[in-house]
Amino acid sequence: MNLFQQILLAEGVRAVEGDSPCSAEHAEDQSSLSFEQRLLRRAAQLDLRLQISPLFAHFKRLFTNLSFCLCFIIFFIGAGCVQQLFFSAQGTEVNFFWAFALFFIPNLLTLLLWGLFFFQGYTLNSGWLQRLSMFSLKFFEKRFNQQSQQNPHYWTLFRCYFQATFSGGLGRYQLSGLTHLLWFSYFCGAVLMLIVMLATHQVDFIWQTSILSVQSFQWLTESLAYLPKLLGFPVPTAEQIQQSHLGAVNLLNDAENTRFVWSSLLISSLIFYGLLPRLLLLLLMRFLLSSAQMKFNLPLSSPYYVQLRQLLKPNVTSLGISDPDACVTQPAYHGTTAKHTQGVPEQFYPLAVELSEKQLIQAREHVKQYAPDYCDLFRHISDYQSQQKLLADITNVSQQSVLVYLSLQRAPDRGLLGFIKALTGQDNKSYYLLLINDALLPEDKLNKRRSDWYGLAQQADISLDNVIQLDCIAGSGEAYE
Amino acid sequence: MNNSGLSVAVVGHANAGKTSLIRTLLRDTEFGEVADQAGTTRHVEGGALAIDENKNLALFDTPGLEDSMRLFYLLSTFFDGQSVDGIERLNYFLAHLSDYPELQQEAKVLRALLNNDIIFYVIDLREPVLGKYRDELHILSYAAKPVIPVLNFTIEGAANLEQWKTQLARLNFHAFVSFDNVHFKFADELKIYQKMQTLLTDKEELLQELINQRRQQWSELFNAAAELAGSLFIECASLRYKTFNGEKEIEQTTAKLQQVVREAEKKCVRRLLKLYQFRKDDLRNSQLPVEQGGWELDLFSADNLQEFGIKLTGNIAKGAGLGVAIDLVTAGMTLGAAAVTGGIAGALWGVKQHYFDEIQAKIKGSRYICLNDVTLQVLWLRQVKLLQALQKRGHASFAKIDYQITEQRRENELPENWSKWLRKARSRPEWSSLSSQSIEPAENKRLLFMKELCQELVKGESLL
């Protein structure tokens, strides 16, 4: 299977899977492969189950067979046209230029039409030619292949295959190649029949005109004969051309020779100006088709392939745990999370721990309101030095209750726990935690955070009744609830 | 140290958003454990972003520095006040860790600092600058590694920004970046890598490769998402069902239409979530309000006539072209009759193609039912809103994505070509795979239309 077939297979898998890829399906180690390589391998793996490649081979055969079928028909049409021309010709005289034009002009016109379509890719790919081709193939398939219904994905794959091969550059070269093949068959039929007819019939070639000059015909014939003459074909001389003009008196006795050279010119003209160019174009299209097949790419930016990339070659890998936790963690607090807003002791030693400036103002206001005599003692603990100083001083504090102002929105951490524990372990004072709520957290998070603080209180041997919440209305630093 | 790429230790205080940062950078909702609680991450865990086949950017999540004040105090007391480099102090501490069992978590962070190429220090901007954070920064400076302070929660903590900037500058950390895990901006992610480039000059090319790759992936992702949303619009706008004029039949068909469109939207939304690697339940359920409208053939609408005109001319030309070929093959004996017949046949085929279904339905007492304008507008706006939400969502976010359309005018702006699009899509029932009519998804005009829709979807949103 060449690369193009593998890519086509991947497209087939995409057609079967539809919107999104189902699974990665890779057994062996593919770490060294690129995404495209993995993709093709996956398609090959899935092909074993989905049997896509036999169907694609069948579609290829179908197209080839139909093309040859058409070639066969066209071959006979070409032959039939020559026969028609010679039978319809009155007497034994055939107008050389009319005979030549009859084959050459339609060919030239269709060649121009093809050139227009070919170089204006969009026109050829606008869909109608593709649809027409697909319709014809589908018609034949439905008519003559009764087994087509057996595979549930048959028509999906049929559409996928021909959409890929009939669209874009591939379609352009494929259908162009077919056009040239058909005309090649037409000329083959015509040339063969011409040889047979001329071999078995005696025909005198003439030429005639009503409005053109004799000189122009002379020039036209010589131009036409230039290439065959160059390649060794016998062609009429200037005298023979003049003698063949209708009404001219044949002064030469070599009528047989004249018939031969005119026949030779007709055959060689059909070969050099009809058959050969089509053959060359056919070969060119074949070459371009195989180049286009080699350059054929998957639409990797489509949602399907973007998703598949995430599955097959995720750009993220887990490196696992490199330094595991060996410590036994403290169980989380699962008790009540109900808030207490009452219970501030009458006399207390005020402390603030790690508050923001705004919270500090709120705390000071609170102290002023509930313990105005201790405003001067109020201190804010925000670093290690102040912590150590407080721990050294706390035994000298005369008040039995210590009220610690904390921020409810901050998650209590091990450092803070250690400090509070060190504080409560100093003497027999009653400790209160006053949690300042700035109303910045939503209710569900607030409950969770309150629970965290209760957990800290529990670990620091502080009664949960001593954990009090101070609700400050957002936007005001002075209002308490 | 990561020899085949680059390794980063992501450190910070407890609950600052370290794991969230890594989740967002890796686009992995399953990485580590995220909770609104201190001490959620208790071990060092890594994830890597592949740069190429052999190189990657490894990100290591670490436990929070919960007791930095004590740690810093200990580090400064080592070597009896002698002038010793910070790194020596860190090594000394790690060598004597058994003396400080309560600082096991901090030790893990210190090991990560020493083992990686660069350090991201995540700061919760909602927090004021406290002594413990200053101590953390001091400890980081001991590791002798480049440090990038990453400011998280930039919107909620905007008031503290200046305070933090000043503090960082005082400690010689000038190259900080803003990266909000909740309000994600891809440009911020790139800024992190660019900042890394300036700090790690020997890894500049590698990081440039990473930046290019991430840009490409982001662009691909956005375009693929826009394609999904655009495809949904085409599917729904070109969808129509034929039904008889009876009340019951219309009701049944309308119910079918509603179900099919809702299903299509659900499917599209699921695919979008999957594409952006979010969880299914990240979305707030909201049902599309589907209303039906009657399909009316407007013979004299400008688009219809223009389209018909073009098609008719094309069909005449094709028919006549075929006729001319026949005339020529018959050696002109048909006297051009084949060309004329072909032209007429082409014209008739064009008329049939364009109006046959509608006229037939009218004669037979049937009608076509399709989605009304308002429903399609809501559908479009919901997809636009969802795309914007997905673009700006971090992978650690727990808030549900809401893509319900409100009455706010600013949000509900329809594209300039809306009416044209609607007419175009509605004149192409074959573009919808939701109806029983056969679809040709790769049809060029549909693809071009899709491209136009995608451009509109992408236009409003910068890829950066």
Side-chain angles (χ1 to χ4, degrees):
Chain A
M1 206 182 268
N2 63 29
L3 185 63
F4 173 67
Q5 284 167 330
Q6 288 177 44
I7 291 174
L8 215 54
L9 193 62
E11 277 290 88
V13 172
R14 175 161 82 123
V16 172
E17 286 189 323
D19 292 336
S20 44
C22 301
S23 63
E25 292 229 4
H26 51 84
E28 75 266 46
D29 177 35
Q30 298 188 338
S31 52
S32 59
L33 301 181
S34 69
F35 167 60
E36 282 84 349
Q37 286 168 325
R38 290 182 196 200
L39 179 70
L40 299 181
R41 279 211 181 175
R42 174 180 180 266
Q45 277 180 352
L46 286 172
D47 183 42
L48 298 173
R49 182 157 54 85
L50 298 169
Q51 290 295 300
I52 297 170
S53 50
L55 273 183
F56 279 0
H58 167 72
F59 297 144
K60 193 179 177 184
R61 266 200 314 276
L62 175 72
F63 179 71
T64 314
N65 292 348
L66 267 175
S67 302
F68 279 109
C69 226
L70 275 173
C71 282
F72 198 62
I73 295 167
I74 297 289
F75 178 89
F76 281 103
I77 289 177
C81 282
V82 171
Q83 195 200 22
Q84 174 78 9
L85 175 82
F86 280 88
F87 272 118
S88 66
Q90 289 172 355
T92 57
E93 286 185 345
V94 168
N95 186 335
F96 177 85
F97 283 101
W98 178 240
F100 177 72
L102 214 56
F103 292 98
F104 187 67
I105 291 178
N107 172 43
L108 190 70
L109 285 177
T110 51
L111 199 66
L112 288 174
L113 205 64
W114 165 78
L116 189 76
F117 281 169
F118 186 78
F119 293 108
Q120 292 223 327
Y122 173 72
T123 321
L124 194 68
N125 294 325
S126 64
W128 67 271
L129 206 56
Q130 181 192 353
R131 280 203 299 275
L132 181 73
S133 313
M134 278 179 69
F135 172 78
S136 319
L137 288 161
K138 199 170 180 176
F139 173 79
F140 275 93
E141 196 63 349
K142 277 189 172 170
R143 183 83 180 78
F144 300 110
N145 184 8
Q146 301 301 324
Q147 293 177 338
S148 61
Q149 307 301 327
Q150 282 178 0
N151 189 325
H153 305 300
Y154 190 89
W155 292 112
T156 311
L157 292 169
F158 178 90
R159 201 162 52 198
C160 162
Y161 179 85
F162 287 109
Q163 257 168 8
T165 51
F166 283 169
S167 58
L170 283 181
R172 201 159 12 142
Y173 303 135
Q174 185 96 276
L175 295 174
S176 296
L178 180 64
T179 315
H180 299 313
L181 180 69
L182 294 181
W183 273 101
F184 176 71
S185 307
Y186 179 83
F187 278 109
C188 280
V191 169
L192 269 176
M193 183 52 87
L194 191 63
I195 293 168
V196 172
M197 291 299 285
L198 290 175
T200 54
H201 291 69
Q202 182 171 310
V203 179
D204 287 317
F205 289 95
I206 58 160
W207 55 269
Q208 51 193 321
T209 178
S210 307
I211 53 170
L212 296 175
S213 66
V214 176
Q215 283 76 22
S216 58
F217 265 92
Q218 181 90 23
W219 173 82
L220 193 65
T221 315
E222 279 171 0
S223 310
L224 204 65
Y226 179 75
L227 194 61
K229 193 180 171 187
L230 210 66
L231 292 164
F233 280 81
V235 293
T237 58
E239 281 178 337
Q240 282 170 328
I241 295 168
Q242 271 181 3
Q243 291 308 313
S244 298
H245 185 206
L246 186 72
V249 182
N250 192 350
L251 297 174
L252 295 171
N253 295 324
D254 58 344
E256 193 183 332
N257 187 37
T258 310
R259 275 196 294 275
F260 177 72
V261 291
W262 277 108
S263 299
S264 163
L265 180 63
L266 186 61
I267 292 167
S268 55
S269 301
L270 282 187
I271 290 172
F272 291 121
Y273 304 118
L275 195 138
L276 214 57
R278 287 293 183 173
L279 179 66
L280 291 175
L281 283 169
L282 174 64
L283 294 174
L284 178 69
M285 289 306 120
R286 283 286 157 98
F287 171 73
L288 290 173
L289 181 67
S290 39
S291 310
Q293 282 180 347
M294 287 205 291
K295 287 178 198 161
F296 186 71
N297 283 323
L298 290 166
L300 294 178
S301 58
S302 73
Y304 173 88
Y305 286 115
V306 171
Q307 253 175 278
L308 192 58
R309 188 191 288 271
Q310 290 168 358
L311 271 175
L312 286 184
K313 194 173 168 49
N315 63 340
V316 170
T317 45
S318 171
L319 300 174
I321 293 167
S322 57
D323 204 344
D325 184 31
C327 311
V328 179
T329 55
Q330 196 71 32
Y333 173 78
H334 291 297
T336 176
T337 58
K339 73 172 179 182
H340 310 131
T341 52
Q342 303 295 324
V344 179
E346 282 184 11
Q347 302 287 316
F348 59 82
Y349 180 79
L351 273 181
V353 178
E354 296 179 349
L355 295 187
S356 67
E357 282 175 22
K358 189 181 163 193
Q359 287 165 336
L360 212 52
I361 295 167
Q362 288 162 349
R364 283 188 203 282
E365 289 294 323
H366 189 266
V367 175
K368 254 189 218 168
Q369 194 177 345
Y370 290 94
D373 300 339
Y374 300 106
C375 278
D376 296 340
L377 297 174
F378 182 76
R379 57 167 107 176
H380 182 213
I381 311 298
S382 65
D383 53 29
Y384 190 75
Q385 283 72 27
S386 56
Q387 275 186 7
Q388 296 308 308
K389 191 163 189 313
L390 177 74
L391 288 172
D393 296 347
I394 195 77
T395 44
N396 303 325
V397 170
S398 58
Q399 287 76 21
Q400 275 309 299
S401 302
V402 177
L403 186 69
V404 185
Y405 290 88
L406 294 154
S407 170
L408 176 61
Q409 70 188 45
R410 178 173 304 121
D413 57 35
R414 202 161 16 86
L416 192 65
L417 172 68
F419 169 62
I420 304 234
K421 263 181 160 176
L423 207 56
T424 54
Q426 289 280 328
D427 55 19
N428 294 327
K429 288 188 170 54
S430 295
Y431 282 88
Y432 290 81
L433 304 183
L434 194 133
L435 307 173
I436 300 173
N437 174 24
D438 284 338
L440 294 173
L441 289 178
E443 196 54 37
D444 56 330
K445 282 193 176 177
L446 211 59
N447 286 334
K448 172 76 188 59
R449 193 49 49 81
R450 204 184 294 123
S451 155
D452 294 339
W453 282 108
Y454 282 175
L456 177 133
Q458 208 171 42
Q459 288 178 59
D461 286 333
I462 298 173
S463 162
L464 296 190
D465 293 334
N466 291 0
V467 183
I468 306 155
Q469 186 172 321
L470 174 66
D471 290 321
C472 299
I473 297 163
S476 161
E478 294 166 6
Y480 308 126
E481 190 184 298
Chain B
M1 187 79 68
N2 189 352
N3 291 328
S4 59
L6 193 58
S7 66
V8 182
V10 181
V11 303
H13 195 78
N15 215 31
K18 299 177 291 297
T19 312
S20 300
L21 171 75
I22 298 181
R23 274 190 179 189
T24 306
L25 291 178
L26 298 179
R27 316 264 186 275
D28 183 358
T29 52
E30 304 300 319
F31 180 86
E33 205 181 323
V34 171
D36 188 18
Q37 188 179 5
T40 311
T41 304
R42 301 193 58 83
H43 35 237
V44 177
E45 189 180 351
L49 272 175
I51 301 172
D52 61 27
E53 303 301 331
N54 306 314
K55 292 177 194 134
N56 57 35
L57 172 71
L59 298 159
F60 289 97
D61 192 15
T62 59
L65 278 163
E66 290 193 58
D67 202 358
S68 55
M69 291 201 284
R70 182 164 152 67
L71 177 64
F72 181 59
Y73 169 74
L74 282 173
L75 291 171
S76 49
T77 55
F78 293 149
F79 302 105
D80 294 328
Q82 291 174 47
S83 174
V84 174
D85 283 349
I87 198 155
E88 299 299 330
R89 291 177 189 276
L90 296 182
N91 285 324
Y92 183 86
F93 170 77
L94 290 173
H96 297 85
L97 185 60
S98 54
D99 299 342
Y100 314 101
E102 73 281 11
L103 293 175
Q104 288 289 340
Q105 297 296 335
E106 280 70 15
K108 288 176 193 170
V109 182
L110 297 188
R111 278 194 289 269
L113 294 182
L114 297 174
N115 291 338
N116 292 289
D117 300 313
I118 189 165
I119 299 157
F120 289 174
Y121 175 64
V122 183
I123 295 168
D124 181 350
L125 212 54
R126 296 170 301 183
E127 288 283 286
V129 181
L130 298 171
K132 57 186 177 186
Y133 302 133
R134 277 193 292 267
D135 292 348
E136 283 169 12
L137 286 162
H138 276 120
I139 295 167
L140 296 188
S141 68
Y142 282 1
K145 294 276 169 73
V147 179
I148 299 179
V150 179
L151 308 178
N152 192 11
F153 300 107
T154 48
I155 294 176
E156 293 98 323
N160 293 329
L161 181 63
E162 281 311 312
Q163 199 189 357
W164 269 105
K165 274 186 183 174
T166 313
Q167 185 57 53
L168 288 169
R170 278 184 191 173
L171 294 168
N172 274 327
F173 295 107
H174 301 282
F176 60 87
V177 287
S178 298
F179 187 90
D180 199 314
N181 289 322
V182 180
H183 309 280
F184 170 68
K185 275 193 247 164
F186 182 64
D188 290 345
E189 184 185 331
L190 292 186
K191 274 183 201 158
I192 292 184
Y193 305 136
Q194 284 159 352
K195 207 64 86 177
M196 287 168 79
Q197 272 183 311
T198 57
L199 294 176
L200 298 165
T201 42
D202 55 328
K203 302 276 184 183
E204 201 177 334
E205 277 180 26
L206 183 76
L207 285 161
Q208 191 55 49
E209 209 178 315
L210 176 71
I211 290 170
N212 295 342
Q213 192 207 59
R214 297 297 277 178
R215 265 204 188 116
Q216 192 200 336
Q217 283 168 357
W218 189 247
S219 153
E220 263 179 12
L221 185 70
F222 194 22
N223 287 328
E227 200 178 315
L228 284 178
S231 179
L232 175 73
F233 173 77
I234 297 178
E235 292 282 357
C236 295
S238 54
L239 173 67
R240 67 178 191 183
Y241 284 122
K242 191 178 178 182
T243 180
F244 286 109
N245 276 332
E247 203 176 304
K248 200 180 162 194
E249 283 88 354
I250 292 174
E251 204 177 298
Q252 278 174 349
T253 314
T254 306
K256 187 180 164 192
L257 180 88
Q258 287 176 345
Q259 194 197 346
V260 164
V261 170
R262 281 188 184 134
E263 259 322 299
E265 200 209 21
K266 251 191 214 169
K267 202 173 156 191
C268 175
V269 167
R270 275 201 300 267
R271 287 189 72 189
L272 282 171
L273 285 176
K274 210 171 168 187
L275 203 63
Y276 277 89
Q277 290 165 292
F278 289 116
R279 292 164 291 235
K280 260 189 225 168
D281 49 5
D282 280 347
L283 204 70
R284 183 168 312 216
N285 281 331
S286 71
Q287 207 171 39
L288 176 74
V290 182
E291 289 173 42
Q292 60 98 353
W295 169 269
E296 288 291 331
L297 174 68
D298 183 6
L299 275 171
F300 303 105
S301 83
D303 283 333
N304 218 354
L305 285 174
Q306 191 192 5
E307 165 99 350
F308 180 59
I310 294 163
K311 274 201 144 186
L312 193 67
T313 318
N315 284 327
I316 291 172
K318 282 173 205 166
L322 203 67
V324 166
I326 294 168
D327 283 335
L328 287 167
V329 166
T330 58
M333 283 184 289
T334 47
L335 301 172
V340 175
T341 315
I344 293 169
L348 289 174
W349 177 252
V351 173
K352 187 260 161 192
Q353 259 193 325
H354 211 71
Y355 296 119
F356 181 76
D357 288 348
E358 287 79 7
I359 293 167
Q360 191 199 36
K362 274 234 150 109
I363 293 167
K364 286 192 172 176
S366 306
R367 67 163 68 186
Y368 281 107
I369 284 178
C370 62
L371 290 180
N372 71 4
D373 288 11
V374 179
T375 307
L376 285 168
Q377 284 175 15
V378 173
L379 181 83
W380 173 266
L381 293 169
R382 275 160 72 96
Q383 294 308 306
V384 171
K385 196 173 176 184
L386 179 60
L387 271 185
Q388 285 169 351
L390 292 174
Q391 285 282 106
K392 290 173 186 160
R393 186 179 171 84
H395 283 71
S397 187
F398 284 109
K400 297 268 184 197
I401 302 169
D402 183 11
Y403 65 116
Q404 190 74 273
I405 296 302
T406 56
E407 293 292 315
Q408 288 172 4
R409 282 199 168 202
R410 196 176 58 80
E411 265 184 18
N412 299 348
E413 263 180 39
L414 288 166
E416 212 175 294
N417 293 329
W418 177 256
S419 311
K420 199 179 149 195
W421 287 356
L422 219 56
R423 285 197 297 273
K424 196 176 203 175
R426 282 181 165 173
S427 66
R428 298 283 192 163
E430 73 274 12
W431 280 355
S432 178
S433 63
L434 302 176
S435 67
S436 54
Q437 295 187 43
S438 67
I439 184 197
E440 292 170 30
E443 212 254 319
N444 275 333
K445 282 186 183 166
R446 190 186 193 271
L447 290 178
L448 285 174
F449 184 43
M450 165 81 87
K451 217 173 171 185
E452 199 181 332
L453 295 181
C454 289
Q455 273 170 358
E456 178 66 34
L457 284 165
V458 176
K459 191 179 78 180
E461 282 293 303
S462 165
L463 283 174
L464 296 180

